[in-house]
Amino acid sequence: MTDAIQVERERGLLTLRLNRPDKKNALTRAMYSRLAEALKQADSDPEINAVLITGSAECFTAGNDIADFVQQPPSDLDSPVFHFMLNLLECRKPVIAAVAGAAVGIGTTLLLHCDLVYVSRDARLRMPFVNLGLCPEFGSSLILPRLLGQAKAAELLLLGEGFNGEQAAAWGIATQALPSGEAAFAKAREMALRFDKLPPEAVRISKQLMKAPDRDLLRKVVEEEGKLFVQRLRSPEAIAALMGFINRG
Ligand code: COA
């Protein structure tokens, strides 16, 4: 348990708030475990109609905690980060994200699995996997080329180019870009609470239909990426890049 993940309940909405401001909400193993557990509980609790994942109005998340990557790298698919990924992939309830500030690494790739994504216009999204000697994860190597075309996806995944909330919305990574982090959160909360007024079984079946065509393929890709990612973490290229971040002046 950690209060770096705050779990709040409002009617049928469960909000999971990343709350580690001193480290830009970088995600530790304990945080992934808490998120995985909360998603599972939400999925099986008939009183919960939607889940909202958010950070603060200044920062969504700086991605995986880099010190954790060095000290306790995930060794296989039975690791907290993969439990989180699989529980998000398999969540039958609608998952909504509200994003402001930095959304790095898994902070961007997790959005590809949310049903609705509201971002601040100036949110800063980035997937610097290659820059860190790593490789794409969480299905991004499948989803982004399909969504954006190979040429644009390569810019984001091979070069690690950053983009903002407005671009994320224009490209279909986000539902809508709003003027501020507060506005993005307010919109996300408003839309998430709408599920209280909709018939839950119809929502569940509709989400299932939307996800079904790619379900098995996506899971296979997430596992393949995960195995390579775990190997890459031990590579000299990754160790040099991660130590470079830790030892930066
Ligand atoms: N893991 C661990 N610590 C992190 C972190 C991460 N992913 N991202 C930020 N932090 C820590 C910094 O080390 C710093 O800690 P310190 O104050 O003890 O030195 C603190 O959070 C603030 O970070 P800082 O870089 O000073 O904030 P910023 O506003 O200038 O920049 C980011 C924010 C997110 C753009 C920048 O921190 C960053 O690029 N982080 C790394 C992101 C990343 O590569 N993630 C992994 C993807 S796989």
Side-chain angles (χ1 to χ4, degrees), residues 62-66 69-70 104-106 126-135 157-160 229 232-246:
N64 203 101
D65 186 288
I66 288 181
F69 261 164
V70 172
V104 188
I106 197 166
R126 194 173 169 228
M127 293 168 286
F129 301 119
V130 170
N131 314 66
L132 290 171
L134 301 169
C135 65
L157 285 176
L158 300 186
L159 292 174
F229 196 96
R232 293 301 308 162
L233 273 171
R234 287 165 173 73
S235 68
E237 287 177 355
I239 290 167
L242 298 171
M243 292 310 294
F245 179 81
I246 290 173

Side-chain angles (χ1 to χ4, degrees), residues 76-95:
D76 56 35
L77 300 180
D78 190 22
S79 305
V81 60
F82 292 112
H83 293 167
F84 164 68
M85 287 182 185
L86 292 182
N87 290 0
L88 182 56
L89 271 183
E90 279 167 17
C91 188
R92 289 168 301 173
K93 310 279 171 77
V95 181

